[in-house]
């Protein structure tokens, strides 16, 4: 008989085995910090109408042009697994008439996103983002506050040496004007460009600016600069953002070739990198999208937001010695107590004892395999990383006690059965006792 096939994750998708607690840790930190700045959490569906991304993110973008998971449902409606979070939030803003709420509306979100990309280190087809959007204020103070919040979040995770890369892609009009100038500048070099850039020359010349191809980068050295084309208001906005960043003590670098991949950006765009960890790519990116809500059929309402690549963030957090230690300490505190009932007829008591521990807020697991020798069962408890074991059997029932064993120094003591959970709590978490 042929062996049964074993299943594996779909190409480009990964299980969070072992890393899930670190994912949860950064999510908790995000909730904590973002709510200090007045942001509320929202969750939108994983599936949206395809048209939302085509119109919102733009057909010229790589994401929409090449990377979407798009399918027809049973009624022939074209649906897409969300490749990013801003267009869905903009849709929700309109659908729930958030324009009538006190402005600006500030929301954050987190979850899985999908892009059909070539899988490579740190890039997946299902990845995770933590993002936030501030809708209804044109800035520039909102731009600065958003960046300050982000830095605070990253610092709380233990990052140091953070660098903000900043640019302005101008308003729609400046972008159009500049795209044309760039096209004209690059036209004589058309044959020297790679296939991707040649295609972008027609569809989205701005994207050529962030090419990684050395030859193309060389060609771009003398290209016209985007911010020489900024219209008066976009120019003033950019100047004010920079001034206020200085006031807020935020170190930043102007990157005149930073354009970001999604079409909806206007004016401020940014990325944050951490040089200390040797991260070459951005931990996150974001920017202003003053035309997006109108593009989706709504009023002309400005917005700004960012998306953090959570997979990359978690990998980097694991490299920070301090953060890892904190995480470990936290995990250590949550190591469960193992309850071992000695003798098959005491298993029910074992369950009750474990329940009492949990009711006192102490994680507890039961070792039920009463047919095995006690030594093997204690070994099993150690393998589960339990430091403490509660033993209970015939002798303990008679004396009205339980035995508490500490693996760390191989000592044990007996404590009264009544109220034992509180005694265990005082013993294992002396720092938390009133
Ligand atoms: P974007 O939505 O393209 O502006 O990307 C924001 C952040 O999401 C990036 O800085 C990346 O860290 C992360 N990201 C985007 N695409 C992927 C992917 N396929 N796999 C992992 N992370 C991604």
């Amino acid at each position: 008989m042929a062996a049964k096939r074993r299943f594996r994750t779909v190409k480009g998708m990964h299980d969070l085995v072992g890393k899930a607690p670190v994912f949860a840790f950064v999510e908790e930190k995000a909730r904590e910090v973002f709510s200090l700045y007045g942001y509320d959490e929202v969750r939108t569906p994983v599936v949206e109408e395809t048209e939302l991304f085509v119109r919102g993110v733009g057909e010229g973008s790589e994401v929409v042009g090449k990377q979407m998971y798009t399918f027809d449902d049973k009624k022939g409606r074209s649906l897409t697994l969300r490749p990013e979070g801003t267009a869905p939030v903009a849709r929700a803003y309109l659908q729930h008439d958030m324009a009538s709420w006190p402005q600006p509306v500030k929301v954050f979100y987190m979850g899985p996103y999908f892009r059909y990309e070539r899988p490579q280190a740190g890039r997946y087809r299902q990845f995770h983002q933590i993002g936030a959007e501030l809708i209804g204020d044109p800035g520039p103070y909102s731009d600065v506050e958003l960046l300050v919040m982000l830095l605070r979040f990253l610092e709380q995770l233990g990052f140091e040496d953070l660098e903000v890369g900043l640019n302005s892609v101008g308003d729609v009009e400046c972008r159009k004007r500049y795209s044309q100038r760039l096209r004209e500048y690059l036209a004589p070099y058309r044959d020297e460009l790679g296939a991707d850039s040649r295609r972008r020359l027609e569809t989205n010349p701005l994207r050529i600016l962030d090419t990684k191809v050395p030859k193309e980068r060389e060609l771009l050295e003398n290209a016209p600069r985007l911010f020489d084309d900024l219209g008066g208001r976009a120019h003033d906005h950019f100047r004010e953002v920079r001034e206020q960043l200085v006031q807020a003590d935020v170190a930043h670098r102007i990157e005149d070739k930073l354009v970001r991949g999604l079409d909806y950006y206007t004016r401020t765009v940014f990325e944050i990198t951490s040089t200390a960890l040797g991260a070459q790519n951005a931990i996150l990116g974001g920017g202003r999208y003053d035309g997006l809500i109108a593009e989706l059929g709504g009023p002309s309402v400005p917005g700004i937001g960012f998306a953090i690549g959570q997979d990359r963030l978690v990998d980097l957090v694991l490299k920070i010695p301090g953060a890892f230690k904190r995480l470990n300490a936290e995990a250590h505190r949550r190591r469960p107590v193992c309850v071992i009932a000695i003798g098959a007829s005491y298993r029910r008591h074992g369950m009750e004892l474990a329940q009492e521990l949990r009711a006192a807020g102490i994680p507890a697991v039961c070792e039920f395999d009463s047919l095995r020798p006690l030594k093997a069962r204690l070994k099993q408890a150690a393998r589960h990383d339990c430091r403490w074991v509660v033993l209970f059997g015939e002798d303990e029932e008679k004396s009205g006690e339980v035995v508490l064993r500490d693996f760390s120094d191989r000592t044990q003591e007996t404590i009264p059965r009544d109220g034992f959970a509180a005694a265990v709590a005082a013993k294992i978490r002396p720092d938390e006792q009133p």
Side-chain angles (χ1 to χ4, degrees):
M1 202 173 71
K4 280 195 180 137
R5 186 167 76 84
R6 298 239 190 130
F7 294 99
R8 299 183 61 83
T9 44
V10 170
K11 184 172 180 193
M13 310 222 172
H14 63 143
D15 296 317
L16 300 179
V17 175
K19 278 189 189 171
V22 196
F23 268 70
F25 168 76
V26 301
E27 286 164 8
E28 280 317 302
K29 263 287 166 262
R31 286 195 177 94
E32 194 181 304
V33 175
F34 299 167
S35 59
L36 285 175
Y37 286 78
Y39 285 73
D40 290 320
E41 186 164 358
V42 291
R43 300 186 192 200
T44 64
V46 166
V47 176
E48 298 273 359
E49 277 183 57
T50 302
E51 191 62 18
L52 172 67
F53 300 110
V54 172
R55 268 216 280 144
V57 181
E59 252 166 323
S61 68
E62 208 96 326
V63 169
V64 172
K66 287 196 195 159
Q67 300 174 341
M68 293 208 296
Y69 276 91
T70 296
F71 57 96
D72 284 348
D73 74 359
K74 289 188 198 298
K75 284 262 167 67
R77 287 172 287 233
S78 181
L79 305 179
T80 291
L81 299 184
R82 60 183 185 190
E84 62 91 57
T86 302
V89 167
R91 190 236 348 108
Y93 180 89
L94 292 171
Q95 183 169 341
H96 302 282
D97 193 22
M98 294 187 201
S100 69
W101 297 9
Q103 304 293 299
V105 170
K106 295 171 167 184
V107 295
F108 70 93
Y109 51 86
M110 49 190 76
Y113 293 82
F114 304 85
R115 291 182 195 175
Y116 197 86
E117 290 197 60
R118 197 163 59 79
Q120 47 187 305
R123 288 203 92 75
Y124 308 101
R125 290 181 174 174
Q126 174 175 329
F127 59 102
H128 302 81
Q129 287 189 338
I130 300 177
E133 313 292 343
L134 184 156
I135 305 179
D137 183 76
Y141 284 87
S142 287
D143 306 32
V144 173
E145 192 194 66
L146 189 92
L147 281 164
V148 168
M149 173 175 91
L150 265 171
L151 291 171
R152 182 168 177 157
F153 166 63
L154 293 172
E155 280 158 13
Q156 296 249 323
L157 289 177
F159 283 94
E160 288 171 3
D161 298 312
L162 293 165
E163 266 191 20
V164 178
L166 191 73
N167 194 16
S168 173
V169 291
D171 291 319
V172 177
E173 282 312 308
C174 344
R175 284 178 56 159
K176 270 198 197 135
R177 210 165 44 231
Y178 176 74
S179 294
Q180 192 46 36
R181 286 223 298 152
L182 191 60
R183 231 180 235 132
E184 284 162 14
Y185 169 82
L186 286 172
Y189 308 110
R190 198 174 187 285
D191 293 342
E192 294 170 55
L193 299 175
D196 274 347
S197 292
R198 272 208 302 276
R199 191 171 35 77
R200 287 176 181 154
L201 205 52
E202 317 302 330
T203 56
N204 193 357
L206 238 61
R207 278 312 304 276
I208 302 176
L209 289 181
D210 65 2
T211 175
K212 303 275 182 291
V213 182
K215 173 95 195 43
E216 298 183 347
R217 288 174 90 115
E218 241 172 70
L219 283 177
L220 287 167
E221 261 167 34
N222 296 318
R225 295 191 321 161
L226 216 163
F227 51 73
D228 292 335
D229 257 304
L230 291 187
R233 289 182 37 214
H235 192 273
D236 290 348
H237 183 269
F238 192 39
R239 185 177 40 75
E240 273 188 81
V241 169
R242 280 155 50 200
E243 275 171 19
Q244 292 312 316
L245 283 175
V246 173
Q247 292 293 324
D249 230 2
V250 173
H252 60 280
R253 207 168 7 90
I254 306 297
E255 286 189 20
D256 65 355
K257 298 206 167 48
L258 177 64
V259 288
R260 314 246 350 107
L262 314 177
D263 280 2
Y264 48 60
Y265 287 118
T266 52
R267 300 195 175 184
T268 314
V269 289
F270 56 83
E271 283 184 347
I272 298 183
T273 44
S274 167
T275 48
L277 295 164
Q280 275 156 17
N281 295 312
I283 305 172
L284 63 92
R288 200 159 256 296
Y289 44 85
D290 293 347
L292 177 62
I293 304 274
E295 186 59 42
L296 296 177
S300 171
V301 179
I304 184 167
F306 62 81
I308 304 170
Q310 197 180 352
D311 309 80
R312 165 171 286 273
L313 183 74
V314 162
D315 287 345
L316 291 174
V317 164
L318 287 171
K319 287 190 188 163
I320 304 173
F324 192 48
K325 216 163 120 192
R326 266 193 353 243
L327 261 175
N328 260 341
E330 184 65 12
H332 210 261
R333 226 175 53 78
R334 292 209 201 111
R335 282 161 71 184
V337 171
C338 182
V339 179
I340 298 182
I342 302 161
S345 55
Y346 288 94
R347 283 182 292 190
R348 185 176 53 80
H349 297 82
M351 270 198 356
E352 285 167 9
L353 291 168
Q355 274 306 92
E356 282 179 45
L357 288 170
R358 294 168 191 142
I362 300 168
V365 293
C366 283
E367 212 289 316
F368 288 123
D369 197 354
S370 56
L371 294 178
R372 290 203 302 169
L374 181 59
K375 203 168 158 202
R377 302 176 73 190
L378 288 169
K379 248 193 196 152
Q380 187 68 4
R383 284 192 64 199
H384 279 296
D385 207 23
C386 299
R387 176 179 158 188
W388 303 86
V389 175
V390 167
L391 296 162
F392 190 84
E394 195 180 345
D395 291 349
E396 287 71 31
E397 192 190 25
K398 278 194 192 130
S399 63
E401 291 170 323
V402 304
V403 172
L404 180 66
R405 181 178 288 207
D406 182 349
F407 276 140
S408 71
D409 56 8
R410 298 176 173 273
T411 56
Q412 68 176 40
E413 61 187 301
T414 49
I415 48 181
R417 163 75 183 80
D418 280 346
F420 90 104
V424 172
K427 186 101 191 141
I428 70 177
R429 293 187 191 153
D431 48 321
E432 285 176 25
Q433 298 309 306

